[in-house]
Amino acid sequence: MENKRRVVITGMGTYNPMGNDAAATWAKIAAGQSGIGPITHFDAAEFKTRIAGEARDFDPVGLLGRREARRMSRMTQLALAAADQAIADGRLAITDANRDRIGVVLGSGMGSMEPMIDNVHTFDEKGAYRVSPFFVPMMLADTPAAAVSIRHGLRGPNMVISTACATGNNVIGEAAMMIRRGAADLMVAGGSEACLLPLTFAGFGVMGALSTRNDEPEKASRPFDRDRDGFVASEGAAVLILEELSHAQARGARIYGELLGYGSSADAYHIAMPAENGAGAVKSMQNALDDAGLAIHDIDYLNAHGTSTPLNDKGETAAIKKLFGEKAASLPVSSTKSMHGHLLGAAGALEAIICLQAIQSGLLPPTINYTTPDPACDLDYVPNEARPAHIRAAMSNGFGFGGHNATIILGKFEA
C-alpha cells in the first residue's frame, strides 16, 4: 500500500427504494425496513411478479427542470440527480483549475430500455419520421456519464461500464484505479438502473428469476432463507466521489472512508448461472484482498451479493466458506437486498454507500426476512436486526450474468 495513491470517499448521493439520499437510506437500513411494494409504473396484473423496488418520490422535473428531464431516459435522470447530490455532498468546487483532473465513470446493467421500446412502437405504428429526435442520445449507454460531464464541466476520463450485476463494484474499482495511476485526482463514480418495465419483467419472469411473493412485498426478498424464490427487481442510482487522499486533505474535504482493495474475475462457465464451485467468486474476493494488502482475518463484515435466488445464495455461501475457512463461521455476512431489492447495475454502488455508513456508525446491516435456515446457507447472516460491531474493513461482492465477478473492500479512514 505504501506505493499507491490512496483513494478516499468524500461524497455520496442516491435515489433508491429506501430514500432520496444516503442518510434516509441508512436510517431505514439500520431499522430493518423494506422498500419493496406493488408495481405502480405499469399495470402488472398479467404478470406472475407484481412487486418491485420503485424510487417512488423521485421527481426528475423538480430536480432537473422540465426541458432537460424530457430529453433524458429515466436511467440518465436518476444518474444525473444522484451525481448532483454527491457533488454537493462532497462540497466540491469545480473550476478551470481542476476540471481537467475530475472524471466520471458510471454504469448500468440494462441500459436505457424505455426509449428503445417506446420508439420501436412509434416506428411500427407511425413510421420512420415520427421517431423522437432525442431517441439516439436517450438510449446510448454512455449518455449518463456524458450528461454529468456536460452539466458540471468535467473534462477528465469519462466512460460507462456494463458488467451486469457486477457493474457497481467494477465502476468503483476502475475509477479508483484511474486515481491510483494518476489519470485523475477525483472521480464521480456510480451506477444507475431504471428497468421496471413490462418487457423486463416478462424476460426475467420466463427465466424464473423473480420472486412471486406478491401478497407480502416487504417479505419477498429473503436472501439465504430456505424459502427464497427469486430476486426483487429495483430501480435507482447511487454515486460516490472518489478522491486522492492528499487532494481531499488539501481542500479540507470530509472523508467517509477509504477504498482499500478491488478485485475482479470471470467464471468462464455459463451465461446466466454462477459456477457451481464458486471459483470465480473466490478469485474475485482474493484479488481484492491482495490488492488491499489484507488477510482474511482483517475483514470485519461482508456485504453479500445475496440476491435471494436459490443458486446465487448457495454458491456465494460456498465461496465465502472456501476463502475464509474457519473464519467464515464467525464472519458477519448480510444482504441488504433483503430491504432495497436488487438494483442490478446500481446495486454495488448503493451497497458501497451502505458499507461506508455501517463502518461509520458501527452497526452491521441486517438480512431481513430470514426466518427458516437453509442447510446449504449456514453462515452468520445478521438475521432480521442490525447489530453493533467495530468495523474496520468491509468487503462487498457483486456477481453478474455472464460470470462477471467484482469485489471491493472499503475501510475506516486512518490518516
Side-chain angles (χ1 to χ4, degrees), residues 157-326:
N158 188 283
M159 66 188 68
V160 163
I161 291 173
S162 183
T163 50
C165 301
T167 297
N169 281 356
N170 278 134
V171 164
I172 293 169
E174 295 299 327
M177 296 296 283
M178 292 179 192
I179 294 173
R180 283 183 181 178
R181 69 171 182 260
D185 295 321
L186 187 149
M187 295 295 296
V188 180
S192 181
E193 207 73 82
C195 62
L196 302 185
L197 305 165
L199 184 62
T200 309
F201 277 74
F204 280 132
V206 296
M207 293 179 71
L210 297 174
S211 172
T212 58
R213 198 183 290 264
N214 299 302
D215 295 336
E216 297 179 301
E218 69 283 352
K219 296 182 180 180
S221 184
R222 41 198 320 110
F224 306 109
D225 186 84
R226 188 194 65 188
D227 298 327
R228 63 191 185 276
D229 70 330
F231 75 87
V232 175
S234 294
E235 65 174 354
V239 174
L240 299 90
I241 304 299
L242 275 61
E243 191 167 357
E244 193 274 325
L245 174 58
S246 64
H247 186 274
Q249 291 173 325
R251 69 181 187 89
R254 171 182 52 195
I255 295 176
Y256 288 109
E258 183 170 1
L259 191 288
L260 299 175
Y262 165 55
S264 63
S265 71
D267 287 349
Y269 173 71
H270 191 274
I271 198 64
M273 294 190 298
E276 292 181 2
N277 60 9
V282 172
K283 186 63 176 173
S284 179
M285 291 186 283
Q286 184 63 64
N287 286 344
L289 285 170
D290 292 344
D291 183 53
L294 298 177
I296 57 173
H297 65 262
D298 295 314
I299 302 301
D300 301 307
Y301 165 64
L302 194 152
N303 184 286
H305 186 54
T307 59
S308 187
T309 59
L311 287 178
N312 175 87
D313 296 1
K314 178 182 176 181
E316 186 171 12
T317 297
I320 293 168
K321 291 167 73 172
K322 185 173 182 180
L323 177 64
F324 285 88
E326 293 182 359

Side-chain angles (χ1 to χ4, degrees), residues 334-367:
S334 71
S335 172
T336 56
K337 290 183 180 72
S338 59
M339 293 170 277
H340 53 67
H342 194 350
L343 277 75
L344 307 176
L350 175 59
E351 289 160 24
I353 289 175
I354 292 169
C355 284
L356 289 165
Q357 292 170 312
I359 291 168
Q360 286 204 320
S361 64
L363 199 65
L364 296 168
T367 303

